[in-house]
Each structure stands twice: as structure tokens, then as C-alpha cells.
């Protein structure tokens, strides 16, 4: 068992951390106040190769493994969680397309994603269907050799910036096998975007996509009719571990700020880090995040080996965001009024990281997945 990264992975982590410190972190609070990314950010991330992580090299990507993608996203999240979502989407959707598309489709779809010219959204959730994603109601009505998409997708990250989306709609009967996936352009006629106002990740551009007879053709169908839901569920086996690492990046950044505060703040004639009541809770949260990180990397390591990553990935997804929220909360308490103030370094982190307890599967949904994998569906809830 090897707990270390390769030299290439270590170098990637250093490069992404340096990029994030220089080009992302200085704008975090202002982006949050504005509710939008600062000008030039997307272009900067594209130049740094962040949209190309999981795109195969033959299509202009970096072709990196899942572990490397996790390293990059954790470093990026430490600077600003909100900027991770277009990178996460490029990795998730790029992977789904690469595993399901035809060679002609991949030549058309993947190079623009890798270059940051096509910013992608995952259009799955609907107003009445979140965790019960297999029950989505949006239909793709037959139209000649194609389909017309009408309906609403909601709580879609990067809606404000996305040019394309992986859209899930019902082409068949009820249940998962009636759902097909389409890769569609969403920045023109047939789609209206509406921004949503959020507690955190305010610059992440979450919103609604309102489809009004958007036509998609057979060239836009991903895989086979009825295969869309299965394809994205396979992708979640990796993306849930990536999201968990994003949460850990936020939690560790907040703890680092709390440790620095405790070392520099004096009370009763000594640094407050000398008091067990101050430093021991921080150590406890550091330990929990460290352990959660190992579960995340086990999932990604298994995925890279061609093994089923779903048990550790879903374990990581319900645990790591919860542990990160608690770590950031403790950091806020450690820093007192400086933590409570929006002018301080951790209040925004707390607002931001709470959302990861919902994204890509709630704690209940991911625990259910683990239970079914361990017990079998006939013995699980």
C-alpha cells in the first residue's frame, strides 16, 4: 500500500496551488460580493489546463488519472470553492462523453471542452426530482429524426457561464432506462437561463435552465436511447470523491487560518494555542479531514485501476462535506469575532462548503448507495 503521490502528481499539486494563490484567492471575497467570476478567470483556468484534466490527450486534453484530478480540485478549492465547479463539470461530463460518444462526436465535443471554449453544465435535477433523479419528468418529444426538449432543470451549477449542457430527458417509459442524455448548446434560442440567489458559492452561477422546444438531433444523443442515466451514475462514482476532496480543501484552508490565528493571538500572557481548549478541537478536525482524504483517494485509486469505486466514493461524499462544515465552524469559533465577520477569512468558507452536503447526492442518498452495495437491494432500504 502506497500513501504517496507520483512526482508528476506532486508537481501538478504545486502548480495548481501556485496558480490558485496568484490568480484565484485574491478575488475570492470580491467574486462572492459580485456574485460572478472576475473578468479573465475562465481564460486563466483554460490556459492553466484545468478544463483539460480528464479529457484524453488525443482530443487535446491532459488525459490525467482520477487521483490527479482530485489533487488539482482540492488545491483549487482551498483558494475558492466556487471556481471549482466548471472544472469539476469538465472532468465529469468529459468522462461521460469520452466513454459513450462515437469517434466523430468526440472530435467535435471534447477539444472545445479541453480548451475552455465550451463550458459545460450537468442538466439533471428538476424542481420535483432531486435525489429521485431516475424519476425526472422532462420529455424529449420525437421530431423527425430528432427530438424537442421542453421543461425546466434547476439547481444547475455554472448556469450563468455554461455554453453547453449534458441534458437528461425521458425518451421512453418510466424509470432509469427511459432516460436519454443529449449534449446540447444552451446559450442560444430555445433555452432561457435564470440565476438563483444562494447562501454560498455565489459566484458559481447556479440557476435554472428553461427549455422551450430546443431541437436536438441524433448527432447530439450521447450513447444509446435510454442509456443516459446509467452513464451519469457511473460518472458519479468518481465525481463524488472529487467533491469530497473539494470540501476537504475548504476545511483544511479554514483550519490553517485558525491555527495561524491561535499562534498569533495572545491572552493571559501567552498565545492561545497553548490552551488545550483552543488547539485540541482543531487537532481533532485536522485528524478527521486527513482520514476522509484517504477514503477519497482510495475511491479515485480504485477507479484508476478499473475497479468499482462506489463504496469508498459514496462513503467519502456523505462524510467529508460534513467533516469540512464542522471544521470550518470550529475555525470560526476559534477566531471569535474575526471569524464571525464577513471581513474575516472563514465566514464565506462556511457558507460555501455547506452546499457540498447537497451537491451530487445528499448524505441520505449516498448512504443508501453504500447500504445497497454492501447488503444487496433486497436487504437494504
Amino acid at each position: 500500500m502506497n500513501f504517496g503521490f507520483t512526482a508528476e502528481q506532486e508537481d501538478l499539486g504545486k502548480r495548481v496551488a501556485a496558480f490558485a494563490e496568484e490568480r484565484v484567492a485574491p478575488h475570492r471575497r470580491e467574486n462572492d460580493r459580485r456574485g460572478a467570476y472576475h473578468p479573465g478567470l475562465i481564460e486563466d483556468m483554460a490556459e492553466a489546463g484545468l478544463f483539460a484534466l480528464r479529457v484524453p490527450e488525443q482530443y487535446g486534453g491532459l488525459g490525467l488519472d482520477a487521483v490527479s484530478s482530485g489533487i488539482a480540485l482540492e488545491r483549487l478549492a482551498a483558494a475558492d470553492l466556487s471556481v471549482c465547479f466548471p472544472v469539476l463539470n469538465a472532468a465529469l461530463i468529459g468522462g461521460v462523453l469520452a466513454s459513450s460518444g462515437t469517434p466523430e462526436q468526440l472530435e467535435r465535443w471534447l477539444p472545445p471542452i479541453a480548451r475552455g471554449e465550451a463550458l459545460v453544465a450537468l442538466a439533471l435535477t428538476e424542481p420535483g426530482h432531486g435525489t429521485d433523479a431516475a424519476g425526472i419528468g422532462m420529455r424529449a418529444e420525437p421530431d423527425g429524426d430528432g427530438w424537442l426538449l421542453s421543461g425546466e432543470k434547476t439547481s444547475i451549477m455554472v448556469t450563468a457561464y455554461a455554453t453547453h449542457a449534458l441534458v437528461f430527458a425521458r425518451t421512453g417509459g418510466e424509470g432509469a432506462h427511459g432516460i436519454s442524455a443529449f449534449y446540447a448548446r444552451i446559450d442560444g434560442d430555445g433555452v432561457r437561463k435564470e440565476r438563483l440567489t444562494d447562501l454560498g458559492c455565489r459566484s458559481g452561477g447556479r440557476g435554472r435552465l428553461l427549455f422551450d422546444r430546443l431541437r436536438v438531433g441524433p448527432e447530439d444523443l450521447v450513447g444509446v436511447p435510454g442509456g443516459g442515466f446509467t452513464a451519469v451514475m457511473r460518472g458519479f462514482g468518481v465525481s463524488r470523491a472529487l467533491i469530497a476532496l473539494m470540501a476537504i480543501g475548504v476545511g483544511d484552508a479554514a483550519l490553517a487560518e485558525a491555527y495561524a490565528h491561535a499562534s498569533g493571538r495572545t491572552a493571559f500572557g501567552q498565545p492561545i494555542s497553548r490552551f488545550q481548549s483552543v488547539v485540541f478541537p482543531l487537532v481533532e478536525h485536522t485528524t478527521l479531514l486527513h482520514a476522509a482524504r484517504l477514503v477519497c483517494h482510495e475511491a479515485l485509486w480504485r477507479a484508476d485501476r478499473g475497479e468499482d469505486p462506489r463504496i469508498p466514493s459514496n462513503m467519502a461524499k456523505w462524510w467529508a462535506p460534513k467533516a469540512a462544515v464542522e471544521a470550518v465552524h470550529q475555525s470560526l469559533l476559534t477566531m471569535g469575532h474575526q471569524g464571525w465577520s464577513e471581513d474575516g477569512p472563514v465566514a464565506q468558507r462556511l457558507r460555501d462548503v455547506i452546499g457540498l452536503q447537497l451537491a451530487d447526492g445528499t448524505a441520505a442518498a449516498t448512504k443508501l448507495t453504500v447500504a445497497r452495495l454492501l447488503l444487496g437491494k433486497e436487504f437494504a432500504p
Side-chain angles (χ1 to χ4, degrees):
M1 188 175 294
N2 186 348
F3 289 98
F5 297 135
T6 66
E8 293 79 11
Q9 289 167 338
E10 292 282 4
D11 181 63
L12 173 69
K14 291 176 182 177
R15 286 190 286 110
V16 174
F19 169 84
E21 182 179 359
E22 178 184 351
R23 311 296 283 274
V24 176
H27 303 279
R28 176 168 62 93
R29 295 185 203 173
E30 181 58 28
N31 286 353
D32 180 67
R33 285 191 286 266
R34 294 173 59 243
Y37 296 151
H38 61 276
L41 175 63
I42 297 296
E43 292 79 6
D44 287 346
M45 291 197 294
E47 184 180 350
L50 292 173
F51 301 123
L53 297 174
R54 295 283 282 163
V55 175
E57 290 183 272
Q58 69 191 94
Y59 300 110
L62 298 177
L64 298 182
D65 57 16
V67 170
S68 297
S69 299
I71 292 169
L73 280 164
E74 183 180 349
R75 303 298 191 276
L76 195 60
D80 185 356
L81 178 61
S82 291
V83 308
C84 291
F85 294 103
V87 177
L88 175 71
N89 282 359
L92 169 60
I93 294 172
V96 172
L97 297 179
S99 65
S100 303
T102 66
E104 294 77 15
Q105 287 175 323
L106 301 188
E107 288 285 356
R108 180 159 42 91
W109 291 341
L110 293 183
I113 293 176
R115 294 192 297 265
E117 296 167 1
L119 297 181
V120 292
L122 184 75
L124 177 61
T125 301
E126 297 179 2
H129 297 282
T131 298
D132 182 19
I136 62 170
M138 181 175 173
R139 295 202 63 85
E141 298 294 341
D143 180 59
D145 65 346
W147 299 264
L148 296 175
L149 304 180
S150 295
E152 177 182 345
K153 297 295 183 178
T154 194
S155 196
I156 309 302
M157 291 304 298
V158 306
T159 288
Y161 314 105
T163 60
H164 294 73
L166 187 61
V167 186
F168 297 84
R170 194 165 296 284
T171 54
E174 297 300 312
H177 296 295
I179 298 172
S180 298
F182 302 91
Y183 186 67
R185 193 167 192 105
I186 59 168
D187 60 351
D189 294 338
V191 184
R192 188 171 85 251
K193 300 179 180 181
E194 293 183 357
R195 288 288 296 263
L196 294 172
T197 302
D198 295 328
L199 173 68
C201 287
R202 293 171 177 170
S203 64
R206 191 176 71 98
R208 301 184 183 94
L209 292 170
L210 303 172
F211 292 84
D212 183 14
R213 298 173 62 81
L214 177 70
R215 192 178 193 284
V216 290
E219 71 278 6
D220 303 313
L221 177 68
V222 180
V224 298
F229 188 79
T230 302
V232 77
M233 286 298 112
R234 286 197 302 267
F236 283 170
V238 170
S239 68
R240 285 176 173 168
L242 296 178
I243 289 173
L245 282 168
M246 287 159 48
I248 290 167
V250 178
D252 264 355
L255 287 170
E257 289 157 344
Y259 281 120
H261 174 83
S263 300
R265 174 85 176 215
T266 59
F268 308 104
Q270 59 184 329
I272 63 172
S273 59
R274 296 287 300 276
F275 296 102
Q276 293 181 7
S277 61
V278 172
V279 78
F280 281 9
L282 299 178
V283 170
E284 291 171 6
H285 288 291
T286 299
T287 304
L288 291 172
L289 291 183
H290 180 77
R293 182 183 291 106
L294 295 178
V295 178
C296 295
H297 281 295
E298 180 195 346
L300 299 178
W301 175 81
R302 291 192 180 281
D304 287 334
R305 288 169 57 91
E307 300 176 11
D308 188 345
R310 288 178 295 169
I311 288 178
S313 178
N314 282 279
M315 287 176 171
K317 178 59 184 66
W318 79 255
W319 180 28
K322 179 177 184 290
V325 168
E326 293 170 352
V328 180
H329 184 199
Q330 184 60 53
S331 299
L332 185 152
L333 297 177
T334 300
M335 300 178 71
H337 72 275
Q338 293 183 35
W340 177 248
S341 172
E342 286 283 3
D343 293 328
V346 298
Q348 181 190 338
R349 294 194 195 278
L350 183 58
R351 288 191 287 102
D352 286 352
V353 77
I354 287 171
L356 295 188
Q357 293 184 285
L358 301 171
D360 222 2
T362 64
T366 49
K367 289 176 185 178
L368 177 62
T369 299
V370 174
R372 289 179 173 178
L373 289 169
L374 292 175
L375 296 171
K377 289 184 178 180
E378 66 272 28
F379 297 110

